[in-house]
């Protein structure tokens, strides 16, 4: 009822009627589709060639033999232990008991005992799919222990393999987090296992175990997750990411000389096609509204189409992914390279998807590109309210290569590559001195690939003290654990260097490690073949639009009045051991995104000042207008609190989105009230622009619907002072009961 009233208040009765009518129509359409799937086997029968390796140089690159992911992490994967979304390392199996989250703990009631013949699946798989599922299960080696892919192994809540994918309920049970099985089902650990296989080519026994585990886990998933059934088909984004990780891992094994048995190869190829058809039929485009999920759909189709043999259907997927990737890069990324969702973490994820899918499409053979030129999209059936596809041929452009050898055509225009360069520059420019990015907006720790995550070794006892989400984690206190650095983005810079070979990318992270030895760099180079793109622009030059003389005069005028105006509030004063103003300060302005950066070797200040530039997607934004992140002398003094979790604990999620959780002069009551129990509700920040942004500080005027109000940051020798006038909130310290999260579900003591 509250939602109905909110729609009426904002949009009127006609809008409410249209939404109700649309929902009724959707329910009718879905039930017709459900009945079509209910009585049939949803596994497909293969009538095309098996997938083959397209990767020709990865195994020849000796640098991969230095792959440095900790052995303990790989051993955990082999034992079916996973550390995802704040779970800590947990062994996942049928009948497991979860530790619970914030007092919520469910009895799984899953007493299944897998058997070699697959008879146990009769209780789990819908009848039309049981025969095929059990046949696939029998391909698994007898000593393999099944993984429970349907369980939220943090809370213990379990979804059913028999539930049709559009009937999966999300957020209906407090404490149950659908993102946990989704994250596990992305299977981003498989490429890590494949890379480890390559790096230990003189240890055949270890290689045998890794290869066997890869094969068994794939077959386990396919057998226990029939297409269109269960929680792991509910979100096409995760279907896309899973297929891409499967294909990269499969290719790494194949290009290393592995010859899979024909039954596995056929089953694997059939499932990849199932993934592709599921994505095409369920694109996350809703009447033109779309964001990172739709971008993931496109990226997934790019990988699937690139690996499958050329035919009318698969070529249409490739052509579609090219067309839509160009469109979405222009739509979802501003001209300055920043992402329209107002989240630094989602910028990272979306940039990954763009870079890797661009690379695999650029690496297509000349023959495949010629086939794509003739494609007309007519074999695509994305459904209603989806992209409006017309019969037309792809345009091809001159490829801006550094070398002129080989074929020189590209389906991507030159401006597209320039935009990618700017995306990477955004990551470089916002990096803190410790290498991490600031947290603006939501963070679900989402990645497209995790080829070589940055792991920090920590003893279990110390980890439990450091990460309060691990309280009660049952592990020997002296056991060495490895925890992923969730805010490190070096892999983006490495991937960018593989694509453009820009010297400033190389220098950005070259200290202490070689960028050309990173797994992301090596894999990108393998996918690209001989292609290296000529940079389309010089190194980013900071804008001086907010620091010219008129702006500086305004800033100085307000600064001079501070001592005379008793109503102006000195919110906080931060001190440094050395002169801040004399340091070699770099200023980076991203007005489209709404982020302004001051940085030097010992100083970092990020100011959030969102302008309201369109288009924007605010479902992952926070009430963080004029918040800051601050480091002085290498110490983090003010950091964003993050997001914690999404749907399982909506009240907590809302706390983390609220103004009170941020170092901002605003209060949540200053904004239009939203429906707290609706996840990812589109919030409405008050658009602002700097009146001054320069080496002396920052000023924004008319910040609270009051022509006399202002917000001023003064950088003065060894001090940073923050003043405000015209706000209700006088103390900016965030809520004391909101702990800082370092990633989704991960928070520090």
């Amino acid at each position: 009822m509250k939602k109905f009233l909110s729609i009426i208040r904002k949009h009127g009765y006609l809008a409410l009627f249209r939404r109700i009518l649309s929902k009724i129509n959707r329910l009718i359409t879905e039930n017709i589709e459900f009945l079509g799937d209910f009585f049939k086997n949803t596994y497909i029968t293969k009538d095309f060639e098996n997938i083959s390796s397209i990767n020709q140089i990865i195994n020849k690159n000796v640098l991969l033999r230095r792959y440095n992911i900790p052995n303990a992490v790989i051993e955990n994967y082999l034992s079916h232990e996973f550390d995802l979304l704040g779970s800590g390392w947990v062994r996942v199996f049928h009948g497991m008991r979860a530790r619970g989250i914030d007092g919520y703990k469910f009895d799984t009631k899953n007493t299944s005992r897998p058997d070699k013949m697959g008879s146990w699946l009769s209780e789990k798989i819908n009848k039309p799919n049981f025969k095929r599922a059990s046949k696939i299960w029998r391909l698994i080696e007898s000593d393999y222990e099944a993984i429970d892919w349907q369980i939220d192994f943090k809370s213990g809540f379990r979804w059913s393999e028999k539930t049709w994918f559009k009937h999966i309920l999300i957020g209906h049970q407090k404490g149950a987090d659908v993102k946990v099985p989704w994250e596990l089902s992305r299977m981003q650990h498989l490429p890590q296992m494949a890379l480890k296989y390559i790096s230990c080519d003189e240890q055949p026994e270890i290689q045998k175990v890794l290869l066997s585990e890869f094969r068994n886990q794939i077959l386990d998933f396919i057998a226990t997750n029939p297409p269109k059934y269960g929680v792991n088909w509910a979100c096409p984004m995760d279907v896309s990411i899973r297929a891409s990780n499967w294909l990269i891992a499969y290719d790494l094994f194949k290009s290393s000389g592995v010859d899979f048995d024909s039954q596995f190869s056929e089953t694997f190829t059939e499932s990849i096609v199932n993934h592709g058809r599921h994505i095409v039929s369920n694109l996350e485009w809703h009447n033109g509204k779309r964001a990172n999920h739709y971008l993931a759909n496109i990226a997934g189709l790019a990988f699937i189409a690139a690996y499958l043999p050329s035919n009318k259907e698969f070529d249409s997927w490739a052509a579609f992914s090219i067309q839509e990737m160009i469109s979405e890069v222009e739509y979802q990324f501003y001209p300055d390279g920043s992402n329209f969702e107002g989240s630094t973490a989602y910028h990272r994820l979306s940039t990954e998807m763009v870079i890797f899918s661009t690379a695999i499409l650029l690496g297509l053979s000349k023959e495949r590109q010629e086939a794509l030129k003739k494609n007309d999209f007519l074999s695509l059936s994305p459904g209603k309210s989806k992209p409006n596809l017309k019969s037309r041929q792809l345009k091809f452009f001159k490829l801006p290569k550094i070398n002129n050898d080989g074929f020189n055509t590209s389906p991507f225009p030159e401006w597209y590559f320039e935009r990618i360069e700017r995306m990477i520059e955004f990551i470089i420019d916002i990096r803190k001195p410790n290498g991490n990015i600031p947290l603006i907006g939501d963070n679900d720790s989402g990645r497209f690939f995790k080829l070589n995550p940055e792991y920090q070794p920590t003893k279990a006892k110390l980890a439990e003290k450091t990460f309060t989400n691990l309280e009660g984690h049952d592990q020997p206190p002296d056991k060495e654990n490895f925890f992923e650095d969730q805010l490190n983005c070096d892999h983006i810079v490495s991937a960018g260097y593989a694509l453009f070979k820009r010297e400033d990318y190389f220098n950005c992270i070259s200290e202490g490690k070689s960028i050309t030895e990173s797994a992301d760099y090596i894999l990108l180079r393998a996918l690209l073949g001989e292609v290296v793109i000529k940079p389309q622009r010089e190194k980013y030059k900071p804008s001086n639009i907010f620091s010219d003389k008129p702006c500086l005069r305004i800033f100085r005028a307000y600064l001079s009045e501070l001592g005379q105006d008793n109503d102006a509030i000195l919110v906080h004063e931060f001190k440094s051991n050395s002169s801040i103003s004399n340091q070699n300060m770099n200023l980076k302005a991203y007005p489209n995104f709404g982020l302004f950066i001051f940085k030097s070797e010992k100083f970092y200040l990020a100011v959030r000042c969102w302008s309201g530039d369109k288009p924007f997607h605010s479902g992952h934004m926070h009430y963080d207008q004029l918040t800051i992140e601050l480091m002085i002398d290498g110490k983090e003094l003010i950091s964003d609190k993050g997001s914690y979790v999404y749907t399982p604990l909506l009240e907590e999620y809302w706390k983390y989105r609220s103004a009170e959780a941020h170092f901002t002069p605003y209060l949540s009551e200053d904004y239009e009230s939203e429906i707290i129990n609706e996840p990812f509700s589109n919030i409405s920040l008050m658009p602002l622009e700097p009146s001054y942004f320069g080496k002396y500080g920052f000023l924004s005027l008319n910040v609270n619907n009051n022509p006399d109000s202002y917000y001023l940051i003064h950088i003065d020798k060894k001090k940073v002072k923050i003043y405000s006038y015209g706000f209700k909130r006088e103390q900016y310290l965030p809520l004391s009961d909101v702990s800082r999260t370092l990633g989704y579900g991960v928070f520090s003591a």
Side-chain angles (χ1 to χ4, degrees):
M1 183 57 69
K2 287 183 179 180
K3 189 172 183 179
F4 286 168
L5 292 174
S6 176
I7 294 171
I8 293 170
R9 186 179 71 253
K10 292 180 180 180
H11 308 291
Y13 286 96
L14 183 59
L16 176 63
F17 175 75
R18 286 174 175 169
R19 291 197 186 190
I20 293 173
L21 194 63
S22 175
K23 188 167 185 177
I24 292 172
N25 182 59
R26 187 171 67 251
L27 288 173
I28 293 172
T29 303
E30 283 183 3
N31 279 302
I32 292 172
E33 184 184 354
F34 167 64
L35 290 174
D37 290 332
F38 184 75
F39 295 104
K40 70 178 183 182
N41 168 17
T42 54
Y43 290 99
I44 66 166
T45 302
K46 189 176 77 68
D47 56 357
F48 33 78
E49 298 175 13
N50 285 340
I51 290 171
S52 60
S53 173
I54 64 172
N55 194 329
Q56 300 299 318
I57 65 173
I58 200 80
N59 194 37
K60 298 176 183 178
N61 198 321
V62 70
L63 296 177
L64 263 180
R65 305 185 197 287
R66 302 180 189 176
Y67 186 59
N68 61 355
I69 193 166
N71 289 330
V73 171
I74 298 297
E75 290 169 4
N76 285 341
Y77 296 153
L78 296 175
S79 301
H80 300 172
E81 291 185 34
F82 304 96
D83 178 17
L84 301 173
L85 306 180
S87 67
W89 289 100
V90 176
R91 189 167 70 91
V92 182
F93 58 96
H94 290 271
M96 66 173 291
R97 295 292 180 265
R99 192 169 79 250
I101 175 173
D102 286 19
Y104 295 94
K105 184 176 180 179
F106 300 90
D107 183 358
T108 62
K109 297 180 181 178
N110 180 11
T111 58
S112 300
R113 292 291 180 268
D115 59 83
K116 173 60 180 173
M117 298 307 294
S119 301
W120 69 292
L121 294 175
S122 63
E123 301 175 3
K124 294 187 167 296
I125 307 299
N126 61 319
K127 191 172 182 180
N129 280 317
F130 167 68
K131 183 177 180 180
R132 178 62 177 148
S134 59
K135 183 178 180 180
I136 294 170
W137 180 261
R138 288 194 289 273
L139 299 176
I140 298 174
E141 296 172 29
S142 58
D143 59 349
Y144 174 80
E145 181 181 39
I147 295 172
D148 190 346
W149 303 101
Q150 303 288 329
I151 191 172
D152 165 11
F153 56 84
K154 289 172 67 175
S155 72
F157 185 86
R158 192 177 191 280
W159 285 263
S160 171
E161 297 91 336
K162 291 184 178 180
T163 305
W164 190 58
F165 74 106
K166 289 186 179 179
H167 292 166
I168 292 290
L169 297 178
I170 298 171
H172 65 295
Q173 187 70 57
K174 195 168 184 178
D177 195 346
V178 72
K179 284 186 66 64
V180 176
W182 283 354
E183 191 78 9
L184 177 60
S185 80
R186 292 180 177 186
M187 299 173 81
Q188 292 170 323
H189 60 283
L190 293 184
Q192 295 177 35
M193 290 167 54
L195 288 165
K196 194 67 176 180
Y197 178 95
I198 296 173
S199 71
C200 58
D201 61 347
E202 296 180 358
Q203 299 171 290
E205 289 303 314
I206 295 177
Q207 286 189 318
K208 182 179 179 181
V209 173
L210 288 166
L211 179 60
S212 175
E213 187 64 29
F214 166 77
R215 182 182 179 279
N216 288 334
Q217 285 193 26
I218 294 285
L219 293 171
D220 178 3
F221 185 91
I222 296 173
T224 57
N225 291 268
K228 297 189 176 185
Y229 284 90
V231 72
N232 295 314
W233 293 95
C235 179
M237 177 183 195
D238 293 283
V239 175
S240 304
I241 295 175
R242 174 169 63 250
S244 302
N245 278 271
W246 279 13
L247 286 163
I248 285 295
Y250 181 85
D251 194 0
L252 288 168
F253 280 114
K254 288 281 287 185
S255 62
S256 301
V258 172
D259 188 14
F260 290 105
D261 60 277
S262 60
Q263 287 181 306
F264 173 78
S265 296
E266 289 178 7
T267 303
F268 180 81
T269 303
E270 289 171 358
S271 186
I272 289 296
V273 175
N274 263 319
H275 280 67
R277 289 177 178 171
H278 187 83
I279 295 165
V280 169
S281 300
N282 298 280
L283 293 169
E284 292 171 276
W285 166 300
H286 308 288
N287 295 313
K289 296 179 181 178
R290 73 275 192 195
N292 65 84
H293 278 237
Y294 182 61
L295 194 64
N297 301 160
I298 300 165
L301 281 176
F303 271 82
I304 292 169
Y307 277 95
L308 288 171
S310 178
N311 66 26
K312 187 175 182 180
E313 180 182 18
F314 305 151
D315 287 349
S316 72
W317 295 355
F320 172 72
S321 65
I322 291 169
Q323 171 194 277
E324 290 303 288
M325 188 59 70
I326 295 171
S327 174
E328 293 309 299
V329 163
E330 184 174 25
Y331 176 70
Q332 296 194 30
F333 291 89
Y334 295 118
D336 66 8
S338 58
N339 188 267
F340 81 145
E341 293 197 68
S343 161
T344 51
Y346 281 92
H347 174 94
R348 172 181 66 176
L349 170 63
S350 295
T351 300
E352 275 186 45
M353 294 189 291
V354 170
I355 292 176
F356 275 94
S357 54
T358 298
I360 200 163
L361 292 168
L362 282 175
L364 292 176
S365 67
K366 185 176 181 179
E367 293 73 23
R368 193 71 185 275
Q369 288 197 19
E370 289 298 323
L372 295 185
K373 291 179 182 179
K374 303 173 185 177
N375 191 272
D376 56 12
F377 303 132
L378 294 183
S379 59
L380 275 170
S381 300
K384 296 181 180 179
S385 302
K386 303 300 181 186
N388 183 24
L389 302 178
K390 297 178 180 179
S391 176
R392 63 174 180 268
Q393 293 183 344
L394 284 175
K395 290 183 179 180
F396 275 71
F397 308 87
K398 183 178 180 180
L399 183 65
K401 291 171 60 177
I402 289 179
N403 300 318
N404 293 320
D405 55 331
F407 62 99
N408 293 288
T409 59
S410 161
F412 302 106
E414 288 190 3
W415 70 261
Y416 177 89
F417 297 111
E418 180 184 344
R419 191 69 56 90
I420 294 178
E421 288 183 77
R422 292 177 184 241
M423 296 178 203
I424 300 164
E425 287 167 9
F426 178 77
I427 290 289
I428 293 173
D429 288 345
I430 69 173
R431 288 170 85 241
K432 298 180 180 181
N434 62 8
N436 290 343
I437 58 171
L439 273 180
I440 303 295
D442 275 349
N443 175 23
D444 72 344
S445 301
R447 296 279 302 276
F448 190 49
F449 293 118
K450 288 187 178 183
L451 301 177
N452 200 171
E454 294 287 334
Y455 281 105
Q456 304 297 331
T458 309
K459 296 292 184 182
K461 186 176 181 179
L462 179 59
E464 196 169 324
K465 291 181 179 179
T466 306
F467 306 109
T468 52
N469 54 290
L470 297 179
E471 185 177 350
H473 199 261
D474 185 19
Q475 284 195 325
D478 291 332
K479 181 179 179 180
E480 187 168 52
N481 281 338
F482 289 85
F483 292 93
E484 185 181 346
D485 185 347
Q486 302 282 359
L487 302 180
N488 185 283
C489 287
D490 287 355
H491 62 285
I492 294 286
V493 186
S494 298
Y497 184 69
L499 191 56
F500 297 106
K501 293 294 181 74
R502 277 179 46 169
E503 186 177 351
D504 54 316
Y505 292 180
F506 182 87
N507 294 334
C508 177
I509 61 171
S510 61
E511 292 185 10
K513 55 185 172 182
S514 173
I515 194 172
T516 57
E517 293 181 13
S518 74
D520 293 87
Y521 171 85
I522 294 170
L523 183 58
L524 256 296
R525 288 305 319 144
L527 295 177
L528 286 162
E530 298 301 318
V531 174
V532 178
I533 303 300
K534 182 179 180 180
Q536 297 302 294
R537 62 195 304 270
E538 296 178 359
K539 187 177 179 182
Y540 179 72
K541 296 179 180 178
S543 170
N544 63 356
I545 188 173
F546 304 110
S547 61
D548 57 16
K549 290 183 179 179
C551 293
L552 181 57
R553 282 198 296 268
I554 294 173
F555 178 79
R556 284 176 171 167
Y558 275 86
L559 192 63
S560 65
E561 295 176 0
L562 285 174
Q564 306 168 24
D565 188 350
N566 294 327
D567 291 326
I569 299 172
L570 173 61
V571 178
H572 218 294
E573 179 179 301
F574 301 94
K575 298 180 180 180
S576 172
N577 295 325
S578 57
S579 175
I580 299 172
S581 55
N582 288 337
Q583 294 181 27
N584 184 21
M585 187 81 72
N586 288 313
L587 304 181
K588 306 293 181 180
Y590 285 92
N592 298 132
F593 183 93
L595 196 58
F596 296 82
I597 308 292
F598 305 77
K599 61 190 298 186
S600 65
E601 185 178 349
K602 295 183 178 181
F603 180 79
Y604 179 93
L605 172 63
V607 184
R608 174 77 161 134
C609 187
W610 184 71
S611 65
D613 285 355
K614 295 181 179 179
F616 62 85
H617 189 282
S618 64
H620 286 301
M621 288 186 186
H622 288 188
Y623 284 128
D624 58 3
Q625 189 69 296
L626 295 180
T627 193
I628 69 169
E629 290 216 14
L630 179 65
M631 290 184 69
I632 296 179
D633 300 328
K635 296 181 180 179
E636 294 201 63
L637 302 178
I638 300 293
S639 299
D640 191 279
K641 295 293 186 179
S643 304
Y644 189 28
V645 294
Y646 291 169
T647 57
L649 300 169
L650 285 174
E651 295 90 347
E652 291 298 311
Y653 174 48
W654 185 258
K655 279 185 182 180
Y656 279 86
R657 292 188 84 184
S658 71
E660 287 75 15
H662 296 83
F663 195 89
T664 168
Y666 291 103
L667 294 167
S668 293
E669 65 185 42
D670 294 330
Y671 297 96
E672 181 181 355
S673 62
E674 299 289 342
I675 303 171
I676 294 178
N677 289 327
E678 182 179 349
F680 318 121
S681 54
N682 291 313
I683 66 175
S684 303
L685 294 178
M686 296 177 182
L688 297 174
E689 286 190 358
S691 301
Y692 171 76
F693 165 61
K695 64 179 182 179
Y696 300 109
F698 181 92
L699 172 67
S700 187
L701 302 176
N702 190 19
V703 293
N704 204 22
N705 292 328
N706 176 348
D708 296 324
S709 61
Y710 62 86
Y711 179 82
L712 186 149
I713 301 174
H714 182 210
I715 300 174
D716 178 28
K717 296 180 180 178
K718 294 186 177 183
K719 296 179 181 179
V720 176
K721 297 180 180 180
I722 300 176
Y723 298 89
S724 70
Y725 175 73
F727 291 91
K728 298 177 185 178
R729 188 176 182 183
E730 297 183 2
Q731 297 295 324
Y732 293 6
L733 294 178
L735 291 169
S736 59
D737 60 342
V738 174
S739 300
R740 185 192 178 203
T741 66
L742 305 176
Y744 188 94
V746 182
F747 51 92
S748 57

